[in-house]
């Protein structure tokens, strides 16, 4: 899942999912609570936290594939030779 957490102080209205300022990006819910508590000036226990339900879609994650297997961010021989690719093959959704 996407490591983005919608955070707000419990008892206050839940922010809109479109309100980007209400999100915290973190590796875990615990980290999101720490960051949001500091941002809101409250204790971690006073927060409501929901992780974004979306996942990385195949279009996005397929774009990461060459970087993850060819040694990026280093300039490896494989990355120099095979990326960017000259062929894009797609299928029906």
């Amino acid at each position: 899942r996407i490591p983005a957490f919608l955070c707000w102080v419990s008892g206050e209205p839940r922010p809109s999912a479109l309100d980007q300022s209400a999100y915290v990006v973190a590796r875990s819910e615990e980290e999101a609570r720490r960051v949001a508590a500091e941002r809101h000036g409250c204790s971690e226990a006073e927060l409501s936290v929901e992780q974004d339900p979306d996942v990385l879609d195949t279009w996005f994650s397929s774009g990461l594939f060459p970087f993850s297997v060819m040694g990026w961010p280093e300039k490896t021989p494989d990355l120099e030779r095979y990326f960017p690719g000259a062929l894009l093959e797609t299928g029906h959704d």
Side-chain angles (χ1 to χ4, degrees), residues 5-7 13-24 39-40:
F5 298 84
L6 185 65
C7 302
R14 181 185 183 279
S16 165
L18 300 177
D19 181 2
Q20 293 183 9
S21 68
Y23 282 92
V24 171
R39 181 185 291 175
H40 290 286

Side-chain angles (χ1 to χ4, degrees), residues 28-39:
S28 66
E29 182 176 328
E30 293 76 25
E31 181 182 349
R33 283 184 179 280
R34 283 193 304 274
V35 172
E38 186 175 310
R39 181 185 291 175

